[in-house]
Amino acid sequence: MFQKEEMAANGTGVTSPRTPLKSILTEKAKGIPNDSAGTVKAQTIEELHSLQRKRSAPNTPLQGTAGAFANLSEDERQRQQLQSISASLASLTRGTGPKVIRGDPGGGKYQAVSHVAHHHHHIEAPVISVSDSSLKFTHVLYNLSPGELYEQALKYEKGSFLTSTGALATLSGAKTGRSPRDKRVVIDDTTQDELWWGKGSPNIEMDEHTFMVNRERAVDYLNSLDKVFVNDQFLNWDPKNRIKVRIVSCRAYHSLFMRNMCIRPTPEELENFGTPDFTIYNAGQFPCNRYTHYMTSSTSIDINLNRKEMVILGTQYAGEMKKGLFSLMHYLMPKRHILSLHSGCNMGKDGDVALFFGLSGTGKTTLSTDHNRFLIGDDEHCWSDDCVSNIEGGCYAKCIDLSKEKEPDIWNAIKFGTVLENVVFDEHTREVDYTDKSVTENTRAAYPIEFIPNAKIPCFGPHPKNVILLACDAFGVLPPVSKLSLAQAMYHFISGYTALVAGTVDGIKEPTATFSACFGAAFLMLHPTTYAAMLAEKMQKHGATGWLVNTGWCGGSYGSGNRIKLPYTRKIINAIHSGSLLKATYEKTEVFGLEIPSEIEGVPKEILRPENAWADKEAYKNTLLKLAGLFKNNFDTFTEYKIGEDKKLTEEILAAGPIF
């Protein structure tokens, strides 16, 4: 149509070209370049993108000449760093590590390092001189920032999304929790005598050869990839007892998770990192060989304390790395006369520290997170001769039914940098529905501890003043609070009691007692009495008081009684912190022999003594005796072990249990 109009206008049958419009310039615009900001200093779009990302430099000045790399040039430091990583990835059959190169595949030219020989622990194996993996480069994505890991996850990992608050939502695959029956520990001449084996132990043995088979499988898989993620980080905020760990993984999700959960080194510390004390090989996307000796499924989590290595096959659940390192600390720290603890920890403004022990559902996270106190940590700690310190650099919080009203600190911590595991969100708004259990009930958030406003950084403090043992007693016979003697504290610490109620586990119709030694039996390496003896020694030496706090039921068992109200429990905890509860008048209960206060400000007097809250006194007595019998049966496992240097403490602890 437009062409016909032009033809009509000039009266010919030939199309005439359009006359270009003249540039219109105002008086002010005359003499001003077309781009008032100037032209970009780039010849290609790739060069322009490179200008967008400036290279970061250490913001911590290097001090003195300490450290393995302190006096080296940047190129030499990176070369040695790559050599260290190549040695970590060394294959047993080839005896050398892969060719490694820093950076994302196709991301430009980076410094590379050829094969690095690795010295094995007297393991003989055939030498294979040529292989496909030896001809390729493995790209190393080293200690990436959250932004860089987001980019990797969103681009390459299916199931990764950005939520409305800026957190990274991921999926952990088929496994949405730990696989304790697939965890193995190498038994050798040393560990055979040192570790806790047999009845009640979480440690299932495997031999050195089988570990090496699984290690080879994991390393070969990692070396077959175009890229691997490498994190060099620390465990334990106590600078005297810090452990260097290296995590080699194949998912950005795993790298970001561990970046959040371990202690993040400063640029200076990273430059001087050197050789790690322990290495994790996470090849969780690849299964183990089910026909390998000791394997019971396609999943295997293997720890070799002699080699200082951990191998993960057949599970992508990130919590395996966190708890594997916790098991390591349960082995290493007692060797230094340091007590490793599965507990929360906070500190008052006057420097008074409290430890909180408790199994799932007891309120450990809720009660240790207190706006009036500083949070040292929520899960894993060490108690040395100098201080109590957090092992981790982050928090791993449950998200099921999370709300801003109930858990404002956790809610607000779910932002950019946080990993959200297995949550469900609106496909359009990306808002998370924390009540949705479609993927799993074990939805989690992993975030750096500094995301909590009242976190104490660095995460350590003075010796604890109070040791609080939490139990959710669904039988309704334990008092809301009891002051414990040292022997009683040890008895209940070794017992590690709580109760499951209907709804938490399928098939449960009435309260079921659960015992987990030291409130974390799944992660113990040594016998529970070893940790109990150390706790008794430290409590006695530093004058800490033990308390048993029931956050469960009163006035009857689950189904007939009522859950103790959280405000009442908080009043009890506050009275412990302030020291006012030490000044109360106490009376002793029957059977368990617990000392209970006659009154606490703000707490109804009738619930302090359990039998007073029960309408049916006979039912109360029968239920009390039933729970006492469960305690006694559970503790029979530990009666043959000596606690401490002589039998005196052992006899006192046995006498501190229920008498009926």
Side-chain angles (χ1 to χ4, degrees):
M1 185 179 92
F2 295 109
Q3 188 176 1
K4 287 181 179 179
E5 288 177 357
E6 283 193 42
M7 291 171 63
N10 60 27
T12 70
V14 181
T15 304
S16 60
R18 291 177 181 269
T19 303
L21 293 173
K22 295 181 179 180
S23 298
I24 300 174
L25 296 176
T26 64
E27 290 298 317
K28 289 184 178 180
K30 290 177 181 178
I32 298 178
N34 197 35
D35 187 344
S36 61
T39 56
V40 294
K41 298 176 182 179
Q43 300 301 315
T44 65
I45 191 68
E46 288 79 12
E47 195 176 341
L48 177 60
H49 286 168
S50 72
L51 293 174
Q52 184 185 29
R53 303 185 301 271
K54 70 176 182 179
R55 186 176 180 184
S56 59
N59 54 21
T60 306
L62 290 174
Q63 298 174 358
T65 58
F69 302 140
N71 291 324
L72 302 178
S73 66
E74 176 67 11
D75 287 346
E76 179 62 17
R77 183 188 67 78
Q78 288 199 14
R79 190 185 70 80
Q80 290 196 20
Q81 205 170 59
L82 288 173
Q83 282 185 331
S84 174
I85 294 169
S86 177
S88 292
L89 286 167
S91 165
L92 171 65
T93 54
R94 285 176 289 281
T96 60
K99 298 174 181 176
V100 292
I101 187 170
R102 278 188 78 158
D104 199 18
K109 294 182 179 179
Y110 294 88
Q111 184 178 22
V113 65
S114 297
H115 303 292
V116 176
H118 183 64
H119 301 289
H120 295 285
H121 296 250
H122 308 292
I123 300 291
E124 294 184 5
V127 176
I128 301 174
S129 57
V130 179
S131 69
D132 287 342
S133 62
S134 69
L135 300 176
K136 64 179 279 293
F137 279 103
T138 299
H139 288 255
V140 172
L141 303 182
Y142 183 72
N143 274 55
L144 296 190
S145 68
E148 292 170 312
L149 290 168
Y150 266 51
E151 291 168 2
Q152 291 288 325
L154 295 170
K155 187 174 182 179
Y156 299 111
E157 297 179 11
K158 192 173 181 180
S160 297
F161 295 91
L162 199 63
T163 69
S164 60
T165 62
L168 180 69
T170 65
L171 292 173
S172 64
K175 302 279 187 177
T176 59
R178 290 183 299 103
S179 302
R181 286 179 293 182
D182 295 312
K183 181 183 172 185
R184 301 288 182 270
V185 181
V186 172
I187 187 168
D188 54 33
D189 292 341
T190 302
T191 58
Q192 184 173 6
D193 297 327
E194 286 185 338
L195 300 194
W196 177 25
W197 306 102
K199 184 180 178 182
S201 169
N203 303 313
I204 306 172
E205 68 180 63
M206 76 185 312
D207 60 30
E208 173 88 357
H209 175 76
T210 305
F211 174 85
M212 295 309 298
V213 170
N214 281 355
R215 182 193 186 277
E216 190 77 352
R217 191 173 176 91
V219 167
D220 281 348
Y221 174 72
L222 291 166
N223 288 340
S224 73
L225 303 174
D226 288 333
K227 63 186 178 188
V228 294
F229 298 89
V230 177
N231 293 37
D232 280 347
Q233 295 183 253
F234 299 118
L235 299 177
N236 197 355
W237 283 85
D238 177 0
K240 292 182 182 178
N241 296 289
R242 195 163 62 176
I243 302 297
K244 297 186 292 184
V245 293
R246 172 169 292 165
I247 303 102
V248 185
S249 60
C250 44
R251 289 193 63 182
Y253 148 49
H254 291 150
S255 185
L256 181 57
F257 177 93
M258 292 307 282
R259 185 188 188 278
N260 288 348
M261 295 311 303
C262 295
I263 299 168
R264 294 157 290 284
T266 65
E268 178 189 10
E269 290 169 337
L270 197 57
E271 290 193 347
N272 297 319
F273 193 83
T275 304
D277 300 315
F278 194 83
T279 303
I280 293 178
Y281 300 98
N282 188 343
Q285 287 179 298
F286 197 65
C288 69
N289 186 338
R290 296 183 66 175
Y291 292 99
T292 304
H293 194 36
Y294 297 101
M295 299 300 102
T296 52
S297 74
S298 60
T299 298
S300 193
I301 303 100
D302 311 323
I303 296 176
N304 189 324
L305 294 169
N306 181 43
R307 289 185 60 89
K308 302 174 183 176
E309 293 177 339
M310 176 180 177
V311 170
I312 298 174
L313 289 163
T315 174
Q316 297 180 63
Y317 181 65
E320 295 287 8
M321 295 182 286
K322 166 187 160 67
K323 290 305 185 184
L325 290 177
F326 189 33
S327 294
L328 169 72
M329 296 298 278
H330 270 314
Y331 175 74
L332 293 179
M333 292 298 103
K335 283 179 167 290
R336 302 185 185 187
H337 306 288
I338 296 169
L339 175 60
S340 47
L341 300 165
H342 188 211
S343 69
C345 182
N346 66 23
M347 185 181 80
K349 293 173 183 177
D350 295 328
D352 58 296
V353 169
L355 292 173
F356 293 81
F357 294 90
L359 301 176
S360 180
T362 59
K364 181 182 70 172
T365 301
T366 300
L367 295 172
S368 61
T369 304
D370 187 332
H371 290 291
N372 297 314
R373 295 173 66 82
F374 299 107
L375 179 68
I376 291 176
D378 75 329
D379 195 41
E380 302 173 9
H381 293 87
C382 287
W383 190 351
S384 70
D385 290 337
D386 300 319
C387 64
V388 62
S389 57
N390 191 350
I391 289 174
E392 302 180 295
C395 302
Y396 193 34
K398 288 184 178 179
C399 289
I400 194 67
D401 296 326
L402 179 68
S403 68
K404 189 174 184 178
E405 293 71 32
K406 291 181 181 178
E407 301 282 2
D409 285 342
I410 296 174
W411 179 275
N412 292 327
I414 299 175
K415 56 186 179 181
F416 181 82
T418 296
V419 176
L420 277 175
E421 284 182 331
N422 301 316
V423 297
V424 177
F425 53 85
D426 185 280
E427 64 179 357
H428 175 59
T429 65
R430 296 294 196 266
E431 290 183 1
V432 178
D433 181 359
Y434 293 108
T435 64
D436 197 316
K437 307 173 186 176
S438 299
V439 179
T440 178
E441 190 170 327
N442 188 33
T443 53
R444 296 270 184 165
Y447 49 86
I449 194 167
E450 55 263 31
F451 281 15
I452 299 296
N454 61 330
K456 183 188 179 301
I457 309 292
C459 303
F460 58 80
H463 296 292
K465 184 179 176 182
N466 292 293
V467 174
I468 301 170
L469 312 181
L470 300 170
C472 177
D473 177 30
F475 292 93
V477 295
L478 291 181
V481 61
S482 316
K483 181 161 68 76
L484 303 175
S485 66
L486 184 64
Q488 285 176 323
M490 294 308 98
Y491 182 89
H492 288 278
F493 175 69
I494 294 171
S495 298
Y497 163 73
T498 194
L500 298 175
V501 297
T504 57
V505 176
D506 290 341
I508 291 180
K509 305 297 182 186
E510 59 181 27
T512 304
T514 299
F515 298 93
S516 182
C518 307
F519 294 93
F523 321 117
L524 300 182
M525 283 291 192
L526 312 179
H527 194 273
T529 54
T530 303
Y531 305 100
M534 293 181 71
L535 180 59
E537 179 189 352
K538 290 185 179 297
M539 287 182 66
Q540 201 165 27
K541 181 177 179 181
H542 301 291
T545 305
W547 306 89
L548 179 64
V549 174
N550 174 23
T551 61
W553 272 254
C554 67
S557 298
Y558 172 82
S560 60
N562 297 302
R563 184 91 189 245
I564 298 170
K565 293 180 180 178
L566 181 58
Y568 294 159
T569 303
R570 286 201 182 277
K571 291 277 188 185
I572 290 168
I573 298 296
N574 290 340
I576 291 172
H577 290 324
S578 69
S580 63
L581 205 51
L582 284 173
K583 302 171 184 176
T585 303
Y586 287 86
E587 50 191 43
K588 194 169 271 191
T589 66
E590 59 179 350
V591 181
F592 278 90
L594 299 170
E595 290 192 359
I596 57 176
S598 56
E599 60 179 335
I600 301 172
E601 186 178 351
V603 180
K605 195 172 182 179
E606 59 270 17
I607 73 168
L608 293 177
R609 195 169 187 96
E611 62 265 38
N612 293 342
W614 281 63
D616 188 338
K617 307 300 182 189
E618 189 65 26
Y620 164 77
K621 190 163 186 179
N622 291 336
T623 307
L624 178 66
L625 292 173
K626 178 181 178 180
L627 181 60
L630 294 172
F631 264 87
K632 186 177 184 301
N633 292 339
N634 172 72
F635 212 83
D636 284 344
T637 309
F638 309 111
T639 54
E640 297 178 2
Y641 287 86
K642 186 178 76 172
I643 302 172
E645 295 181 358
D646 53 42
K647 290 186 176 181
K648 184 180 178 184
L649 181 59
T650 307
E651 293 168 354
E652 288 177 353
I653 291 172
L654 291 174
I659 299 172
F660 57 103

